[in-house]
Amino acid sequence: MASVPTLSSTDIKTFMTAALEEAKKAGARGEVPIGAVIVKDGEIIASTGNRREEDQKTDAHAEMHAILAANEKLGSWRLEDTALFVTLEPCLMCAGAILNARIPLVYFGAQDKKAGAVTSLYSVFDDDRLNHQVKVIPGVLKDESAALLKDFFRGLRAKQKAKKRAAKENEHLS
């Protein structure tokens, strides 16, 4: 059975800040700004952001890419004795991957009221029928995580409005 890593409050803030940096990089690439890092023995072994638009793949969530990178780094599908830090509450797909990878500890920032599978819509990790249990610490740097997402979607809506306005003006000129 995997042990749950023990991390200081300083470590927790440092690792979530690294996830936020990955989220910012994703946002700068036009992706929804979500970042994830996986930590083992006090070191980041995988670090990435969302890549759905770039990869044009349904499963290109930050958590999924971080899990795959950690698998490669460790040479194993089992990510026991690790911790995942992600800026947004994992969805059902990512929660399933976390369970299957045997990650024992998940820290997340903002809740996802539309797709969250850990505390918002579902509590997947609380099901004791599963053969692996995950400890969850929600709300780490939640304000910073939520602000990144709000700013991103506010900017996206503004771009869409400007595009519609330009299209209407072009119709009138035609």
Side-chain angles (χ1 to χ4, degrees), residues 10-40:
T10 302
D11 288 340
I12 293 166
K13 186 175 180 182
T14 297
F15 296 135
M16 187 58 84
T17 299
L20 279 164
E21 288 306 312
E22 289 295 336
K24 289 174 187 173
K25 289 179 198 173
R29 294 189 316 268
E31 298 284 349
V32 175
I34 301 167
V37 301
I38 295 179
V39 173
K40 183 173 176 68

mmCIF file of all heavy atoms in Angstrom, residues 10-40:
data_model
loop_
_atom_site.group_PDB
_atom_site.id
_atom_site.type_symbol
_atom_site.label_atom_id
_atom_site.label_comp_id
_atom_site.label_asym_id
_atom_site.label_seq_id
_atom_site.Cartn_x
_atom_site.Cartn_y
_atom_site.Cartn_z
ATOM 1 N N THR A 10 5.017 25.056 3.707
ATOM 2 C CA THR A 10 5.858 25.771 2.741
ATOM 3 C C THR A 10 5.996 24.963 1.455
ATOM 4 O O THR A 10 5.881 25.508 0.353
ATOM 5 C CB THR A 10 7.257 26.050 3.345
ATOM 6 O OG1 THR A 10 7.081 26.819 4.542
ATOM 7 C CG2 THR A 10 8.144 26.804 2.370
ATOM 8 N N ASP A 11 6.225 23.646 1.586
ATOM 9 C CA ASP A 11 6.323 22.780 0.410
ATOM 10 C C ASP A 11 5.019 22.793 -0.385
ATOM 11 O O ASP A 11 5.035 22.881 -1.615
ATOM 12 C CB ASP A 11 6.632 21.329 0.809
ATOM 13 C CG ASP A 11 8.049 21.130 1.291
ATOM 14 O OD1 ASP A 11 8.920 21.968 0.985
ATOM 15 O OD2 ASP A 11 8.290 20.115 1.985
ATOM 16 N N ILE A 12 3.916 22.704 0.325
ATOM 17 C CA ILE A 12 2.606 22.679 -0.334
ATOM 18 C C ILE A 12 2.412 23.945 -1.156
ATOM 19 O O ILE A 12 2.016 23.885 -2.328
ATOM 20 C CB ILE A 12 1.476 22.486 0.704
ATOM 21 C CG1 ILE A 12 1.578 21.082 1.315
ATOM 22 C CG2 ILE A 12 0.108 22.745 0.090
ATOM 23 C CD1 ILE A 12 0.739 20.887 2.573
ATOM 24 N N LYS A 13 2.725 25.088 -0.569
ATOM 25 C CA LYS A 13 2.578 26.355 -1.289
ATOM 26 C C LYS A 13 3.539 26.414 -2.484
ATOM 27 O O LYS A 13 3.162 26.852 -3.575
ATOM 28 C CB LYS A 13 2.833 27.538 -0.347
ATOM 29 C CG LYS A 13 2.558 28.868 -0.989
ATOM 30 C CD LYS A 13 2.686 30.014 -0.028
ATOM 31 C CE LYS A 13 2.391 31.313 -0.747
ATOM 32 N NZ LYS A 13 2.544 32.472 0.118
ATOM 33 N N THR A 14 4.762 25.948 -2.301
ATOM 34 C CA THR A 14 5.754 25.946 -3.386
ATOM 35 C C THR A 14 5.284 25.093 -4.557
ATOM 36 O O THR A 14 5.359 25.520 -5.718
ATOM 37 C CB THR A 14 7.113 25.418 -2.859
ATOM 38 O OG1 THR A 14 7.581 26.316 -1.854
ATOM 39 C CG2 THR A 14 8.136 25.298 -3.974
ATOM 40 N N PHE A 15 4.769 23.896 -4.267
ATOM 41 C CA PHE A 15 4.358 22.990 -5.340
ATOM 42 C C PHE A 15 3.080 23.478 -6.027
ATOM 43 O O PHE A 15 2.950 23.350 -7.246
ATOM 44 C CB PHE A 15 4.210 21.563 -4.824
ATOM 45 C CG PHE A 15 5.514 20.969 -4.342
ATOM 46 C CD1 PHE A 15 5.585 20.275 -3.150
ATOM 47 C CD2 PHE A 15 6.677 21.119 -5.084
ATOM 48 C CE1 PHE A 15 6.786 19.734 -2.702
ATOM 49 C CE2 PHE A 15 7.893 20.583 -4.648
ATOM 50 C CZ PHE A 15 7.939 19.896 -3.455
ATOM 51 N N MET A 16 2.162 24.069 -5.262
ATOM 52 C CA MET A 16 0.954 24.607 -5.910
ATOM 53 C C MET A 16 1.310 25.838 -6.731
ATOM 54 O O MET A 16 0.726 26.063 -7.797
ATOM 55 C CB MET A 16 -0.131 24.931 -4.885
ATOM 56 C CG MET A 16 -1.443 25.326 -5.544
ATOM 57 S SD MET A 16 -2.148 24.085 -6.677
ATOM 58 C CE MET A 16 -3.011 23.063 -5.507
ATOM 59 N N THR A 17 2.271 26.605 -6.290
ATOM 60 C CA THR A 17 2.736 27.750 -7.079
ATOM 61 C C THR A 17 3.330 27.267 -8.405
ATOM 62 O O THR A 17 3.109 27.891 -9.455
ATOM 63 C CB THR A 17 3.762 28.589 -6.281
ATOM 64 O OG1 THR A 17 3.105 29.076 -5.092
ATOM 65 C CG2 THR A 17 4.293 29.755 -7.085
ATOM 66 N N ALA A 18 4.049 26.149 -8.373
ATOM 67 C CA ALA A 18 4.583 25.569 -9.616
ATOM 68 C C ALA A 18 3.443 25.141 -10.535
ATOM 69 O O ALA A 18 3.521 25.337 -11.758
ATOM 70 C CB ALA A 18 5.496 24.380 -9.295
ATOM 71 N N ALA A 19 2.380 24.585 -9.972
ATOM 72 C CA ALA A 19 1.210 24.215 -10.783
ATOM 73 C C ALA A 19 0.566 25.469 -11.376
ATOM 74 O O ALA A 19 0.142 25.464 -12.540
ATOM 75 C CB ALA A 19 0.209 23.422 -9.942
ATOM 76 N N LEU A 20 0.504 26.536 -10.596
ATOM 77 C CA LEU A 20 -0.046 27.800 -11.106
ATOM 78 C C LEU A 20 0.800 28.350 -12.256
ATOM 79 O O LEU A 20 0.253 28.895 -13.223
ATOM 80 C CB LEU A 20 -0.136 28.837 -9.991
ATOM 81 C CG LEU A 20 -1.346 28.714 -9.073
ATOM 82 C CD1 LEU A 20 -1.140 29.527 -7.800
ATOM 83 C CD2 LEU A 20 -2.615 29.148 -9.794
ATOM 84 N N GLU A 21 2.111 28.210 -12.168
ATOM 85 C CA GLU A 21 2.984 28.655 -13.264
ATOM 86 C C GLU A 21 2.691 27.862 -14.535
ATOM 87 O O GLU A 21 2.667 28.423 -15.633
ATOM 88 C CB GLU A 21 4.457 28.534 -12.865
ATOM 89 C CG GLU A 21 4.897 29.571 -11.843
ATOM 90 C CD GLU A 21 4.607 31.001 -12.272
ATOM 91 O OE1 GLU A 21 4.926 31.360 -13.424
ATOM 92 O OE2 GLU A 21 4.052 31.766 -11.458
ATOM 93 N N GLU A 22 2.465 26.562 -14.387
ATOM 94 C CA GLU A 22 2.097 25.737 -15.555
ATOM 95 C C GLU A 22 0.747 26.179 -16.119
ATOM 96 O O GLU A 22 0.549 26.199 -17.331
ATOM 97 C CB GLU A 22 2.069 24.252 -15.181
ATOM 98 C CG GLU A 22 3.430 23.662 -14.923
ATOM 99 C CD GLU A 22 4.324 23.639 -16.159
ATOM 100 O OE1 GLU A 22 3.821 23.637 -17.303
ATOM 101 O OE2 GLU A 22 5.556 23.622 -15.973
ATOM 102 N N ALA A 23 -0.177 26.541 -15.239
ATOM 103 C CA ALA A 23 -1.488 27.024 -15.680
ATOM 104 C C ALA A 23 -1.348 28.320 -16.478
ATOM 105 O O ALA A 23 -1.988 28.492 -17.518
ATOM 106 C CB ALA A 23 -2.406 27.225 -14.472
ATOM 107 N N LYS A 24 -0.491 29.207 -15.991
ATOM 108 C CA LYS A 24 -0.265 30.477 -16.699
ATOM 109 C C LYS A 24 0.326 30.226 -18.089
ATOM 110 O O LYS A 24 -0.075 30.867 -19.059
ATOM 111 C CB LYS A 24 0.663 31.380 -15.885
ATOM 112 C CG LYS A 24 0.011 31.933 -14.639
ATOM 113 C CD LYS A 24 1.010 32.708 -13.794
ATOM 114 C CE LYS A 24 0.396 33.116 -12.471
ATOM 115 N NZ LYS A 24 1.398 33.731 -11.573
ATOM 116 N N LYS A 25 1.265 29.302 -18.168
ATOM 117 C CA LYS A 25 1.855 28.956 -19.472
ATOM 118 C C LYS A 25 0.784 28.403 -20.412
ATOM 119 O O LYS A 25 0.756 28.738 -21.599
ATOM 120 C CB LYS A 25 2.966 27.916 -19.305
ATOM 121 C CG LYS A 25 4.216 28.413 -18.652
ATOM 122 C CD LYS A 25 5.203 27.247 -18.536
ATOM 123 C CE LYS A 25 6.303 27.496 -17.544
ATOM 124 N NZ LYS A 25 7.134 26.294 -17.336
ATOM 125 N N ALA A 26 -0.095 27.557 -19.875
ATOM 126 C CA ALA A 26 -1.178 27.000 -20.697
ATOM 127 C C ALA A 26 -2.086 28.119 -21.196
ATOM 128 O O ALA A 26 -2.445 28.169 -22.377
ATOM 129 C CB ALA A 26 -1.979 25.964 -19.899
ATOM 130 N N GLY A 27 -2.451 29.037 -20.315
ATOM 131 C CA GLY A 27 -3.299 30.169 -20.703
ATOM 132 C C GLY A 27 -2.661 31.020 -21.784
ATOM 133 O O GLY A 27 -3.326 31.467 -22.720
ATOM 134 N N ALA A 28 -1.351 31.223 -21.675
ATOM 135 C CA ALA A 28 -0.625 32.013 -22.679
ATOM 136 C C ALA A 28 -0.626 31.320 -24.041
ATOM 137 O O ALA A 28 -0.507 31.986 -25.069
ATOM 138 C CB ALA A 28 0.808 32.259 -22.213
ATOM 139 N N ARG A 29 -0.795 30.011 -24.058
ATOM 140 C CA ARG A 29 -0.861 29.253 -25.315
ATOM 141 C C ARG A 29 -2.304 29.138 -25.831
ATOM 142 O O ARG A 29 -2.547 28.437 -26.804
ATOM 143 C CB ARG A 29 -0.287 27.846 -25.120
ATOM 144 C CG ARG A 29 1.182 27.786 -24.810
ATOM 145 C CD ARG A 29 1.742 26.356 -24.845
ATOM 146 N NE ARG A 29 0.918 25.354 -24.206
ATOM 147 C CZ ARG A 29 1.013 24.974 -22.919
ATOM 148 N NH1 ARG A 29 1.903 25.542 -22.130
ATOM 149 N NH2 ARG A 29 0.220 24.037 -22.442
ATOM 150 N N GLY A 30 -3.257 29.780 -25.140
ATOM 151 C CA GLY A 30 -4.651 29.723 -25.557
ATOM 152 C C GLY A 30 -5.420 28.552 -24.967
ATOM 153 O O GLY A 30 -6.559 28.303 -25.338
ATOM 154 N N GLU A 31 -4.801 27.852 -24.047
ATOM 155 C CA GLU A 31 -5.457 26.731 -23.371
ATOM 156 C C GLU A 31 -6.180 27.236 -22.124
ATOM 157 O O GLU A 31 -5.806 28.267 -21.566
ATOM 158 C CB GLU A 31 -4.409 25.696 -22.920
ATOM 159 C CG GLU A 31 -3.631 25.058 -24.034
ATOM 160 C CD GLU A 31 -4.422 24.008 -24.799
ATOM 161 O OE1 GLU A 31 -5.509 23.598 -24.359
ATOM 162 O OE2 GLU A 31 -3.925 23.586 -25.861
ATOM 163 N N VAL A 32 -7.166 26.495 -21.664
ATOM 164 C CA VAL A 32 -7.764 26.804 -20.372
ATOM 165 C C VAL A 32 -6.629 26.678 -19.351
ATOM 166 O O VAL A 32 -5.916 25.675 -19.329
ATOM 167 C CB VAL A 32 -8.926 25.847 -20.040
ATOM 168 C CG1 VAL A 32 -9.459 26.116 -18.639
ATOM 169 C CG2 VAL A 32 -10.043 25.989 -21.065
ATOM 170 N N PRO A 33 -6.414 27.712 -18.527
ATOM 171 C CA PRO A 33 -5.250 27.734 -17.647
ATOM 172 C C PRO A 33 -5.368 26.808 -16.434
ATOM 173 O O PRO A 33 -5.769 27.219 -15.353
ATOM 174 C CB PRO A 33 -5.147 29.197 -17.230
ATOM 175 C CG PRO A 33 -6.545 29.692 -17.301
ATOM 176 C CD PRO A 33 -7.181 28.948 -18.435
ATOM 177 N N ILE A 34 -4.999 25.571 -16.652
ATOM 178 C CA ILE A 34 -4.959 24.569 -15.591
ATOM 179 C C ILE A 34 -3.569 23.960 -15.628
ATOM 180 O O ILE A 34 -3.065 23.619 -16.701
ATOM 181 C CB ILE A 34 -6.032 23.488 -15.783
ATOM 182 C CG1 ILE A 34 -7.425 24.123 -15.805
ATOM 183 C CG2 ILE A 34 -5.937 22.420 -14.686
ATOM 184 C CD1 ILE A 34 -8.518 23.209 -16.289
ATOM 185 N N GLY A 35 -2.953 23.850 -14.457
ATOM 186 C CA GLY A 35 -1.618 23.278 -14.365
ATOM 187 C C GLY A 35 -1.567 22.183 -13.327
ATOM 188 O O GLY A 35 -2.368 22.164 -12.390
ATOM 189 N N ALA A 36 -0.622 21.264 -13.509
ATOM 190 C CA ALA A 36 -0.464 20.155 -12.577
ATOM 191 C C ALA A 36 1.007 19.802 -12.426
ATOM 192 O O ALA A 36 1.759 19.874 -13.394
ATOM 193 C CB ALA A 36 -1.240 18.934 -13.068
ATOM 194 N N VAL A 37 1.379 19.429 -11.208
ATOM 195 C CA VAL A 37 2.707 18.881 -10.953
ATOM 196 C C VAL A 37 2.560 17.646 -10.079
ATOM 197 O O VAL A 37 1.628 17.544 -9.280
ATOM 198 C CB VAL A 37 3.681 19.894 -10.294
ATOM 199 C CG1 VAL A 37 3.873 21.129 -11.153
ATOM 200 C CG2 VAL A 37 3.243 20.281 -8.912
ATOM 201 N N ILE A 38 3.479 16.722 -10.258
ATOM 202 C CA ILE A 38 3.527 15.528 -9.415
ATOM 203 C C ILE A 38 4.867 15.546 -8.688
ATOM 204 O O ILE A 38 5.912 15.811 -9.291
ATOM 205 C CB ILE A 38 3.344 14.238 -10.234
ATOM 206 C CG1 ILE A 38 1.937 14.226 -10.848
ATOM 207 C CG2 ILE A 38 3.559 13.000 -9.346
ATOM 208 C CD1 ILE A 38 1.615 13.016 -11.696
ATOM 209 N N VAL A 39 4.781 15.280 -7.387
ATOM 210 C CA VAL A 39 5.938 15.368 -6.502
ATOM 211 C C VAL A 39 6.218 13.998 -5.895
ATOM 212 O O VAL A 39 5.290 13.290 -5.492
ATOM 213 C CB VAL A 39 5.650 16.389 -5.377
ATOM 214 C CG1 VAL A 39 6.755 16.400 -4.335
ATOM 215 C CG2 VAL A 39 5.422 17.777 -5.958
ATOM 216 N N LYS A 40 7.495 13.644 -5.845
ATOM 217 C CA LYS A 40 7.940 12.423 -5.161
ATOM 218 C C LYS A 40 9.207 12.760 -4.387
ATOM 219 O O LYS A 40 10.108 13.396 -4.937
ATOM 220 C CB LYS A 40 8.195 11.298 -6.155
ATOM 221 C CG LYS A 40 8.591 9.982 -5.469
ATOM 222 C CD LYS A 40 8.660 8.843 -6.478
ATOM 223 C CE LYS A 40 9.147 7.561 -5.856
ATOM 224 N NZ LYS A 40 8.248 6.943 -4.908
#
